[in-house]
Amino acid sequence: MYGRSCWLYLGLKEVKAKDNFDYAKEMTRNEKTLTAFKKDVENFFNILPDNSFVQAIHAFYKKFSLDTINAIKHDSHWGDFCKYLAKNITFSVIGINGYAASDNEILQVKKQSKSNENKKAVCLITGVKEKPVNTTYSSFILGGKSNAKLVAFQVNSGYDSYGKKMGLNAPISEEAEFKYTTALLKLLSKNSRNKFRIGDRSFVFWASSNNEASEQTEESLFDLLGYTEEEVDDPNAKIEQVRKVFTAIYSGSLKTSLEDRFYILGLAPNSARIAVVYWSESSLREFAGKILQHFKDMEIIDTRKEGKPYMGIKDMLAAVTLSGKQSEATPNLPEAIVNSIFQGTTYPFTLFSACIRRIRAESGSHDKKAIRIARMAIIKAYLNRTNSNNKKIEIMLDKSNTNQGYLCGRLFAVLDKIQEDANGISSIRERYMNAASATPASVFATILNLSSHHMEKLTNDGKKIFFEKMKQEIMDKIPATGFPAHLNLQDQGRFFIGYYHQRQEFFTKKEEENKD
């Protein structure tokens, strides 16, 4: 197990001042040599993970840096090494007799490798008959092992297929393996803007071209889903810019062609390997259309003075977890949401049902955040994609919507507002909302009776008339048979949307009155 890479690199450093040669070219060549040697070390470690020499050398190169080089320069043999740039070296380990290059296990692996050098096979990636690699280079992702690989081969001879060892089972040429591992490492690098992370899933994305539309697609997707520590004065401005980019691509004002493709790869740690949990390929225009559809489906009225984006995957996950941490979402939910957004399919039922559960769990508290905007946007998006033949839920209050769940939600919001204006509290929301959203017939008689007492406390006659007309307008759409005895889960979602829409309508009217 010989090595020249680090010493040759150091030797060049020493002779730069006195020799007249292309230093930049030599440095590039030697950096490639170093990379190739480190890959050989990685291969030996995969085959002989318990060998003491291999363990030590592998650990050395894991920490290898310029600081390591500077420390080596103090070695007493440094002067001898600098005399001959082509000199080979080997490794010794304190406490172990002999050298790595003469270790029997290492020599056996080297011999096997030599016997395979002339073997060629059809590369599964390129389709060309070339020399395959024995093992592939590791690609670190958060949550996984440092030596985990996207493509891994069994090294125990007892599991060899038809006598073919390691890489010969599924041949990948050296050139193809170098290209895909180098590209993956670049996409996964610390400062990459071509990745985003959700829970223990790492997603990388890239375009097939480097034209303006491709570059803006990559940048916009990172702005929408990526993580950055930069402070943003107006978060909605960034989302609006993302919308403009995808609108320009979809409308054709930002030119693309059918050959311009966009790719998304989802990875997850899985023992010693990296598991592929998601894959998507589409044209740039098709991808832009899917993102715009997500924006449209998630759009809902927002009367807050300082709103913030709620269309990102992390915000969606945070809305359905107990502590608001997206990392606590159920394991398969992140990629299910990713698939819905990027493929334009129905949003996952687990996302919708989690929304309903969180609303029910929090509606009994004094906190009004149970009916938060992100949850309402999720419910609206889920119902509109799931029930394509039914009446779509609009962005704001829809008085033409006669769904019984929606009407019950609207009526409950009116009764809630009457009590709030009369007494300054809204105890019926805390006490009756869960029952009203699931079994309306069991509670509406009671809360309608309560609202009559609350109406009497209103000192403004104009308000009394206003609320009475609104109650009557909604009640006229309830069947003569009365309130439904039970609402299914989808209609329970419509109940909460109706409640939210009606409450937002009150805020809108108040703003209009203040302007007048």
Side-chain angles (χ1 to χ4, degrees), residues 393-411:
I393 296 174
E394 301 296 334
I395 295 171
M396 58 184 65
L397 181 65
D398 179 12
K399 292 185 178 181
S400 66
N401 191 330
T402 58
N403 176 272
Q404 296 301 292
Y406 188 80
L407 290 172
C408 287
R410 284 188 60 198
L411 182 58

Side-chain angles (χ1 to χ4, degrees), residues 29 97 303 448:
R29 184 174 71 87
N97 294 326
T303 57
L448 280 168

